[in-house]
């Protein structure tokens, strides 16, 4: 029997793409699910096909909406913070509103949700927190104003939580995917290496959730290449620019 069977997971950002695929896969493994995102209709449609799922619409950029949803969700065994927004943006095409909107969903939304849930997990001495970051959070990549920094902030947050929550019974992990074929990456005009389906990416997230490891980056070898940039001198990284 799956280790997810009978456990309650709250997936935030479950109406589309990776979050939806994750809900469907965890549902097949017998998990009870609480599904959140802004689009209530979409969530209801997904819940209709999953026997043990309920929808709680929530906008992570709105503190009242987050507080209401946390109260309605009640006690959960784990949460997956998967809500995300992305618009490719170069420094020369700066759009402050778009950069702030990405930061609000990808990073500040996580602070709002975790601020309302981590104290309860710590008090209960249990709970599992999975944050969906991105390989784009490891380096300042081209055309990622707003997005890259918000994911770097999320990775840093997870690392701090990993230190602070050690020994409390609360688990935190960061999962950093490469390119997944969703409505977000439809905005990319370039050829995306090792592009995954949401189902493949969801399987990898679930495998990460079943392990004790703090950090999971995928897919290899693309993730190794991204991490390798850390060890390269700047003259190589920015050559010809
Ligand atoms: N696609 C990729 O290549 C890729 C790569 C690395 C990491 N990721 C990360 O993976 C996660 C899922 O991305 P995806 O590609 O599956 O994108 P997606 O299909 O657009 O899904 C994003 C989810 O976040 C929800 N969301 C957006 N704004 C929200 C808000 N204000 N409040 C609550 N929920 C909100 C969306 O639902 P509503 O619109 O209904 O609110 C949707 O369910 C994101 O964190 C993304 O950064 C994606």
């Amino acid at each position: 029997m799956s280790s997810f069977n009978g456990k309650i997971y709250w997936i935030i950002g479950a109406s589309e793409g990776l979050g939806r695929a994750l809900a469907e896969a965890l549902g097949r493994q017998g998990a009870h699910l609480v599904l959140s995102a802004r689009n209530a209709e979409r969530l209801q449609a997904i819940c209709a096909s999953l026997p043990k799922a309920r929808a709680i619409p929530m906008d992570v950029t709105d503190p009242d909406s987050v507080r209401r949803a946390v109260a309605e969700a009640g006690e959960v065994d784990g949460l997956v913070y998967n809500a995300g927004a992305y618009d490719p943006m170069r420094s020369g095409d700066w759009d402050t509103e778009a950069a702030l909107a990405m930061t609000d969903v990808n990073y500040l939304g996580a602070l709002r949700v975790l601020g309302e849930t981590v104290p309860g997990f710590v008090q209960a001495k249990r709970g599992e927190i999975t944050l969906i970051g991105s390989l784009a959070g490891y380096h300042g990549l081209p055309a990622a104003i707003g997005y890259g920094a918000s994911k770097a902030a999320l990775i840093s947050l997870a690392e701090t939580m990993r230190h602070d929550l050690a020994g409390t019974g609360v688990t935190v992990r960061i999962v950093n995917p490469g390119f997944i074929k969703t409505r977000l990456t439809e905005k990319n005009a370039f050829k995306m290496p090792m592009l995954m389906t949401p189902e493949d990416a969801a399987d990898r997230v679930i495998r990460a959730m079943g392990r004790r490891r703090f950090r999971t980056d995928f897919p290899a070898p693309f993730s190794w290449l991204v991490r390798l940039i850390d060890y390269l001198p700047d003259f190589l990284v920015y050559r010809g620019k």
Side-chain angles (χ1 to χ4, degrees):
M1 192 184 290
S2 148
S3 62
F4 301 106
N5 190 46
K7 284 196 183 165
I8 309 173
Y9 286 92
W10 187 8
I11 304 178
I12 296 158
S15 63
E16 294 277 345
L18 172 60
R20 179 192 179 132
L22 199 51
E24 288 167 347
L26 280 172
R28 279 195 297 276
Q29 299 207 26
H32 293 251
L33 299 168
V34 179
L35 306 183
S36 290
R38 289 165 305 175
N39 190 328
E41 245 173 65
R42 275 259 199 220
L43 292 176
Q44 285 301 352
I46 299 167
C47 286
S49 66
L50 296 171
K52 297 180 207 153
R54 63 196 169 106
I56 303 182
M58 168 174 75
D59 182 345
V60 299
T61 68
D62 173 356
D64 288 336
S65 170
V66 170
R67 272 192 289 271
R68 275 196 305 273
V70 169
E72 199 179 334
E75 235 177 76
V76 298
D77 294 294
L79 71 79
V80 181
Y81 191 84
N82 172 73
Y86 167 69
D87 275 307
M89 194 199 306
R90 291 194 174 272
S91 306
D93 304 319
W94 203 285
D95 174 344
T96 301
E97 286 308 311
L100 292 175
M102 285 185 260
T103 309
D104 213 1
V105 177
N106 300 351
Y107 176 56
L108 300 181
L111 290 185
R112 291 184 192 100
V113 169
L114 295 171
E116 295 294 326
T117 51
V118 170
F121 282 140
V122 171
Q123 207 178 4
K125 298 190 173 61
R126 57 188 285 274
E128 218 185 280
I129 298 162
T130 302
L131 303 177
I132 305 296
S134 169
L135 293 180
Y138 282 123
H139 299 284
L141 300 175
I145 293 293
Y147 186 77
S150 67
K151 290 296 184 178
L154 196 67
I155 294 171
S156 169
L157 181 77
E159 290 167 350
T160 293
M161 289 170 67
R162 174 69 185 84
H163 284 294
D164 293 348
L165 293 173
T168 63
V170 184
T171 306
V172 62
R173 68 176 65 83
I174 180 91
V175 178
N176 296 306
F179 293 110
I180 310 166
K181 193 170 166 33
T182 67
R183 64 181 182 174
L184 292 191
T185 43
E186 265 172 22
K187 300 171 186 178
N188 287 339
F190 56 90
K191 188 166 166 8
M192 290 170 272
M194 299 192 74
L195 184 65
M196 297 168 280
T197 62
E199 291 72 26
D200 180 18
D203 279 350
R204 290 161 184 263
V205 173
I206 288 177
R207 261 181 272 150
M209 288 170 68
R211 285 194 295 257
R212 292 176 61 85
R213 188 187 301 165
F214 163 61
R215 183 191 312 266
T216 301
D217 301 328
F218 63 80
F222 183 55
S223 57
W224 302 338
L225 278 174
V226 172
R227 300 301 308 270
L228 185 71
I229 299 174
D230 270 341
Y231 303 97
L232 297 179
D234 280 350
F235 79 85
L236 273 182
V237 177
Y238 303 111
R239 77 182 184 285
K241 296 192 170 159

